[in-house]
Amino acid sequence: MPPLKERHPLPVVGNASPPAWRSLESRRRQEASEPEAEFPPGAAQPPEGLSRRALLELAAFGAAASTAGCFRQPPEKVMPYSRQPPEVTPGVPLHYATGLTLDGHVRGLVVRSHEGRPTKVEGNAAHPESLGAAGLREQASLLGLYDPHRAKVVRHRGQPVSRDDLFARLRQLASRRDEGRGLRLLVEPTASPLWAHTWRRVLERFPHARVVPFSTTDTGASLEGARLAYGRPLATLPRFDTARAVLSLDDDFLSTLPGSLRAAREFSASREPSDMSRLWVVESHLSVTGAFSDHRLRERPTRLPQLARHLGAEVGRLLGREDLAGLAEGAMVIGESERRWVAAAAADLVARRSQALVVVGARQPAAVHALAHLLNEALGGRVSRVAQTLTPSPDPGALPALVEELLAGGVDTLLVTAWNPVYRAPADVPLAQALGRVEDSVYCTLHEDETSAACVWSVPSTHPYEHWEDGRAIDGTATILQPLIAPWLEAVVAPLELAAAFSGELADAPYQRLRALWREQGGEGREWEGWLAEGVIPGTRLPEVDARVDAAAVLAAVRALPPASDTGLELQFVTDARVHDGRFGANPWLQEMPDPITKMTWDNAALVSPATASRLGLERGARVRLEARGRAVEAPVLVLPGQADDTVTLPLGYGRTRGGPVAEGVGFDAYALRFQDAPWVLPGASLTRLEGHHDFALTQEHWRMEERPLALQTPRGVFAAHARTLLEGLQERKEHLYPPNPGQATPSHRWAMAIDLNRCTGCGACVVACQAENSIPSVGKEQVRRGREMHWLRIDRYFLGGEDDPGVITQPLMCVHCEYAPCEYVCPVAATVHSDEGLNQMVYNRCIGTRYCSNNCPYKVRRFNYLDYTGHDPLARMRRNPDVSVRSRGVMEKCTYCVQRIESARIRARVELRDIRPGEVVTACAQTCPTRAITFGDLDAPDSEVARLHDDARHYALLNNLGTRPRTVHLLRLKNPSEALS
């Protein structure tokens, strides 16, 4: 009799018999003698209300893949090679330069591939945006490539048809002779030259057709602000590395797309203790940038533009600019604390002059963006440049105009390549209803989602790593996006192929069209191969534009800003830090990635301040009904310190009804309250308390350090005067009772790590990079709620000071590889042992799951594999790192300092008859970190960076009083407060 599997009480819906396909899948598993995974590797806990049994069928990444034919043999006879290709060595990965387009711009990547299987994403050091770093979405993009829940077949009115049927219909539609009067294309804004070329060709053939760019993250305020200031839409490219005073008006530039990777790298470089910049932030919702700031002012959303007006007036007064100083007349009245804050910020900007920078977020109106251009020019304008923009200018009225055409019957053919516009459309724009009036609506998608159900044709799309394309970074640098693997689904179509059917270029392969386009730019022979190898095309960066601000136009627009709303609740919409606008909702790595601020997984919430929660009688998990303009949503409440009072922040991207079992039913749909004329802020909302309680899956319940020396920070001046006393007892080696470790007296290497809290923003890229590198499974919401998350690396977030306006500090923490590790002395089977090079190693084959080591670990960085999360699905095997052991249930897991990378470097060194070079081994977390907050290396290597940081005056050993002597040290964070507010 097989052993009973561990059971957990989960709600059961109904008692209906299982569907036929479920029984068929079960028989196939039995016939193949394939053990069924206890828990899926993708999304172990789906939306509430599904039984565990239903969970295994709907969310298991392998169940669907096993019958999807992902391992297809070519129809022709093939022969294995008798002579091994020179570039292929079994076990030795290859690396390919490519990129990923996010919000219209490309981030350069390098993808590691094992025998043709992409297994890890890294940043391209030669690319001006990524600079060798990769964010959490780029790291997680690999999981989407092997997603078994991707759309698999072409559908016409819901029924499967062949690709030939689709293209036969497309050719018929492309042979129209009405010059495109009934043809429309709903697309994502992109700076891709190939897409721009394709759209031009379509419009040349069909001059009455129209291309409609649609975005929910860029509503056009930034470019409209540039148009107000300069008379034309220009892109702003700030230089954070040379700025010494930065003022952010609701701009979360450290984590918001696009440009966040470069901004984080440059800004962290400006925080060196010897010459430290100062960051001022005004915002309504506590963001990653706000948490990192030196001075933060929380303000209601409708009051923020008026506060910017006071700031401009104060800067003008200090500069002697009467036109700017006059902005205070007729502006909103602000309180004394706000007045002091504005005066101090303006004084700091004026004192820095040419090293001062004002940036504005996408949620602010165009007049505030224009005011920032005017202030930057008045201050000297040396840390911000403007350049021509290559993305189509977003037109907020374009989608409503298209819907009117659809409802009027003026469109017979609609090609949709924008991601899920039905789900993202404003609440007052009936796109789903309008699509029913179109005779041929063709939608290309990775998953069958809400838009698929509304369109006549639903076409499965290739993944970005499966087709040829190109794109540009935010500064204009071009990149060729080359495919890394052939599509594992037969019916998929590249989105460009659908557009090519109307451009007259369908006969040419995508690669041929791309080569032909870039051949005109000199992309021949070795030049082309060099572009592919490097991942960038030299000489394509956009030149700076010499433009002057029209001060009169800007000041008139600022004075015309609407007054602030001082009554009722205000709703503020934000893109989610993980799933963005919802397009990554089917990715379990991102769903299970804790939010950098709330530490929430598999959910979103209505975020309110402690004062607002107290006034309305709300607590964490309370269910409420939010109403505005006759529409309503129900949502759970999370009380968040640092939130502006009388403001409810609603993260977008959740509440999906279609899109795969991972995305469906997670959280609530905030788009239902987002209107065309109020895409970011909606005043006048009401809130009603409902019955019931919602349980969140949070990875950190405690928000305080309770006076323990954990994540440390202090003002820069205080540290300079009291460095020794501040870290007294945290740097020297403590006495202990642990017996000495066996091992070599003179190890060949002493591996160690240093984490600089002065650089860490808590973005979470390192967490997903560790998960991808070490094949760490996702466990689902219910298991996270039980405290069984499997991440080897976590980022603790602590609040400092009062709840209303707290300070925030983040601290990455993984196994610190103690020289005297408490876990090693209690393991009864010696499964956790110490290496001669200082690594605390886990021998999985010995571990019997007593969990004594976890109980004895003071850092709580070990993870126990309660269930068989990995299973046996073939797609999971394709994406796993073959250099890492796949752990079964019942064993302890933890950070290994990426020992597989250490051993790989050791093998290379032995083959070449040398020692490992300094810097040759880089852990996954250190490699991907946008701010270079994590450093790994050999303490015995001369002049190594990690040795220097271990001797830095800011370093300290976590829980040093225990005498564990961790090989990972942290460096205290310095703040740079203004004396005017001290």
Side-chain angles (χ1 to χ4, degrees), residues 292 336 372 378 525 674 733 864 883 921 942 981:
F292 199 74
E336 181 59 30
R674 198 179 193 225
R733 289 175 175 264
F864 185 68
D883 297 330
V921 181
L981 295 179

Side-chain angles (χ1 to χ4, degrees), residues 499-551:
F502 294 92
S503 69
E505 299 175 305
L506 188 59
D508 297 329
Y511 177 76
Q512 294 174 335
R513 294 198 296 273
L514 188 65
R515 285 296 307 271
L517 177 65
W518 284 102
R519 190 175 289 116
E520 300 174 2
Q521 309 297 324
E524 287 283 0
R526 292 185 178 180
E527 289 291 331
W528 173 260
E529 293 178 359
W531 295 352
L532 296 182
E534 293 296 323
V536 294
I537 301 178
T540 52
R541 181 180 178 181
L542 296 174
E544 295 186 25
V545 175
D546 185 13
R548 303 292 297 175
V549 175
D550 184 347

Side-chain angles (χ1 to χ4, degrees), residues 488-625:
W488 60 270
L489 293 168
E490 295 183 355
V492 294
V493 178
L496 264 169
E497 292 303 279
L498 298 182
F502 294 92
S503 69
E505 299 175 305
L506 188 59
D508 297 329
Y511 177 76
Q512 294 174 335
R513 294 198 296 273
L514 188 65
R515 285 296 307 271
L517 177 65
W518 284 102
R519 190 175 289 116
E520 300 174 2
Q521 309 297 324
E524 287 283 0
R526 292 185 178 180
E527 289 291 331
W528 173 260
E529 293 178 359
W531 295 352
L532 296 182
E534 293 296 323
V536 294
I537 301 178
T540 52
R541 181 180 178 181
L542 296 174
E544 295 186 25
V545 175
D546 185 13
R548 303 292 297 175
V549 175
D550 184 347
V554 171
L555 294 174
V558 173
R559 290 191 179 94
L561 282 168
S565 172
D566 292 323
T567 59
L569 290 175
E570 296 181 11
L571 303 183
Q572 178 180 239
F573 304 94
V574 296
T575 55
D576 188 72
R578 299 158 295 159
V579 302
H580 197 42
D581 57 356
R583 69 185 63 220
F584 299 103
N587 193 306
W589 285 356
L590 293 177
Q591 288 280 14
E592 197 154 300
M593 165 67 203
D595 183 274
I597 301 298
T598 65
K599 295 301 167 185
M600 182 186 304
T601 67
W602 293 97
D603 226 332
N604 65 337
L607 306 176
V608 299
S609 70
T612 301
S614 176
R615 180 174 64 83
L616 298 176
L618 303 174
E619 72 284 343
R620 188 176 78 185
R623 297 199 61 84
V624 298
R625 178 182 177 88

Side-chain angles (χ1 to χ4, degrees), residues 299-307 310 330-335 338 562-570 615 645-647 681-685:
E299 195 67 75
R300 283 173 58 131
T302 59
R303 288 175 60 89
L304 203 150
Q306 293 292 326
L307 190 84
H310 279 278
M332 167 194 75
V333 177
I334 59 177
E338 293 171 317
S565 172
D566 292 323
T567 59
L569 290 175
E570 296 181 11
R615 180 174 64 83
D645 294 337
D646 298 319
T647 302
V681 179
L682 182 61

